Amino acid sequence: MFKKKKIGISYKKEKDIHIIPTILSSNKFTSALKKPHWLKIRLPSNLYKINKIKNILKNNKLHSVCEEAHCPNLSECFNNGTATFMILGSICTRKCPFCAVKKGRALKVDINEPKKIFDVILKLKLKYVVLTSVSRDDLKDGGAGHFSKCIYTIRKKKNIKIEILVPDFRGREIIALNKINKYPPDVFNHNIENVPRLYSIVRPGANYIKSLNLLYEFKKICPNIPTKSGLMLGLGEKKSEVISVLKDLKSVGVSIITIGQYMQPSKNHLSVQKYITPQEFITFQNIALSLGFSNVFSGPLVRSSYHADQQYLSC
């Protein structure tokens, strides 16, 4: 078990934690900040290819996090013939106020989903696949067994690399890892998302230490498989806090890190506190590299699965 004392940040009792910005702790989510010019997204030039992938996913009753989470890079990724599959349905049992994925009572797991994904992978001729999921707190293993079945099925095509972006499996970490490690991925990813001071607002129901421990335990079991995590900035975090999180991630063996700008999906989601400049992202990239991360992707539009194949290949 990963211990708190090894982590490079001072942990205090919840009542002693720094005060959360008023705008985050209220119900007034509407952001008054004007989106800067560096976040302008070009309209797609090849709608045919985008619609083709959307139709293939829809016809097979599959979901992509690109669509469900309103990813700003959807057009680019779909035009490049890539997609991140979101397994275990499209309804999340958590209520994280930054996320655009639907929340509520999850539906029954589709036992045919692994084969459907495999068939679509062949149809799209993918060589690098990212699997993520909604949080499934209703399942005894948090959905880990389904991840394992998907990996096992995809491995029938031996030249395909597989990255999984997993939830925290709240309270079921060891059970989940035992199932996943039967058929391990090529990259194990779990996003830390933001700094611990803001967790009660940004990730209600999650726990910073447990997320670190999940990454630590996987790396301990599978030391030769790269582990990866991601941060979204602009929610009121301080530079010193971000650096502390980067140190924590490095201390648990994470080698790949993504750092991007949080963007408010709708007026009902958390508001943006600050738009981080491209130069600031470069600064964070240089800091992460100086801490020893082997691969750092840092920029306004960077997302966890954005150019995931390049992130893996350049390790």
Side-chain angles (χ1 to χ4, degrees):
M1 180 68 69
F2 188 75
K3 297 180 180 179
K4 294 182 186 180
K5 64 181 181 181
K6 294 183 179 180
I7 300 175
I9 192 167
S10 176
Y11 292 97
K12 304 178 181 181
K13 292 181 180 179
E14 189 170 349
K15 65 179 181 180
D16 295 327
I17 291 178
H18 301 294
I19 296 172
I20 295 167
T22 304
I23 194 167
L24 283 181
S25 59
S26 72
N27 291 322
K28 297 177 181 179
F29 291 125
T30 304
S31 175
L33 296 182
K34 184 179 179 180
K35 192 176 291 185
H37 66 85
W38 60 78
L39 283 174
K40 302 294 184 184
I41 301 167
R42 292 182 180 179
L43 292 174
S45 58
N46 191 344
L47 287 174
Y48 172 77
K49 199 167 189 177
I50 294 171
N51 289 329
K52 179 182 177 182
I53 293 176
K54 284 185 176 182
N55 288 331
I56 289 174
L57 293 171
K58 183 178 179 181
N59 292 338
N60 286 275
K61 296 182 179 179
L62 295 174
H63 307 279
S64 75
V65 75
C66 320
E67 291 183 273
E68 303 296 337
H70 302 175
C71 180
N73 303 312
L74 182 149
S75 299
E76 181 182 352
C77 292
F78 276 20
N79 263 317
N80 290 333
T82 62
T84 298
F85 296 97
M86 191 169 77
I87 64 176
L88 294 165
S90 61
I91 301 176
C92 187
T93 57
R94 302 278 178 93
K95 295 181 179 179
C96 297
F98 70 86
C99 182
V101 173
K102 299 184 190 76
K103 287 94 173 168
R105 185 185 295 273
L107 302 176
K108 185 178 179 181
V109 176
D110 181 1
I111 60 173
N112 295 315
E113 192 170 49
K115 186 181 184 304
K116 291 178 182 177
I117 290 174
F118 181 67
D119 291 342
V120 168
I121 287 170
L122 295 181
K123 190 171 291 185
L124 295 177
K125 299 179 181 179
L126 303 180
K127 292 186 178 180
Y128 194 98
V129 175
V130 181
L131 301 176
T132 189
S133 78
V134 292
S135 290
R136 292 296 302 260
D137 296 325
D138 59 311
L139 302 176
K140 290 182 179 180
D141 66 352
H146 196 69
F147 268 101
S148 185
K149 289 174 184 176
C150 289
I151 295 171
Y152 173 78
T153 303
I154 296 169
R155 290 287 187 215
K156 293 176 183 178
K157 188 76 173 175
K158 298 188 183 300
N159 67 333
I160 297 176
K161 298 296 182 183
I162 304 169
E163 176 179 325
I164 60 173
L165 170 55
V166 300
D168 60 13
F169 303 116
R170 183 164 59 189
R172 309 174 181 90
E173 298 89 345
I174 301 303
I175 295 172
L177 289 178
N178 284 338
K179 291 192 175 184
I180 288 173
N181 292 333
K182 288 181 180 179
Y183 305 104
D186 295 288
V187 176
F188 181 87
N189 186 357
H190 173 64
N191 284 338
I192 207 77
E193 302 294 10
N194 203 257
V195 302
R197 174 173 60 88
L198 299 177
Y199 252 49
S200 62
I201 296 297
V202 177
R203 292 187 72 193
N207 181 284
Y208 182 75
I209 296 294
K210 288 184 177 181
S211 282
L212 285 175
N213 194 60
L214 179 67
L215 291 160
Y216 173 77
E217 291 293 340
F218 179 85
K219 192 66 177 179
K220 188 168 70 173
I221 299 169
C222 299
N224 296 322
I225 295 178
T227 50
K228 175 180 172 182
S229 192
L231 278 160
M232 55 180 181
L233 305 184
L235 285 163
E237 67 288 330
K238 299 175 182 178
K239 181 179 178 181
S240 60
E241 292 176 309
V242 175
I243 294 172
S244 290
V245 172
L246 291 174
K247 289 178 178 178
D248 288 347
L249 290 171
K250 188 67 183 68
S251 71
V252 296
V254 172
S255 56
I256 306 172
I257 185 76
T258 59
I259 308 172
Q261 170 71 52
Y262 167 70
M263 288 192 282
Q264 187 180 24
S266 78
K267 66 179 182 180
N268 296 317
H269 292 82
L270 288 179
S271 57
V272 177
Q273 299 297 295
K274 178 184 177 182
Y275 285 113
I276 313 301
T277 66
Q279 185 56 51
E280 287 176 296
F281 277 111
I282 292 173
T283 298
F284 281 122
Q285 181 173 23
N286 291 333
I287 290 170
L289 289 171
S290 72
L291 291 172
F293 288 94
S294 63
N295 203 334
V296 183
F297 276 64
S298 179
L301 293 176
V302 168
R303 296 295 181 267
S304 188
S305 301
Y306 183 54
H307 290 175
D309 54 341
Q310 295 178 28
Q311 295 171 23
Y312 170 74
L313 293 173
S314 57
C315 280

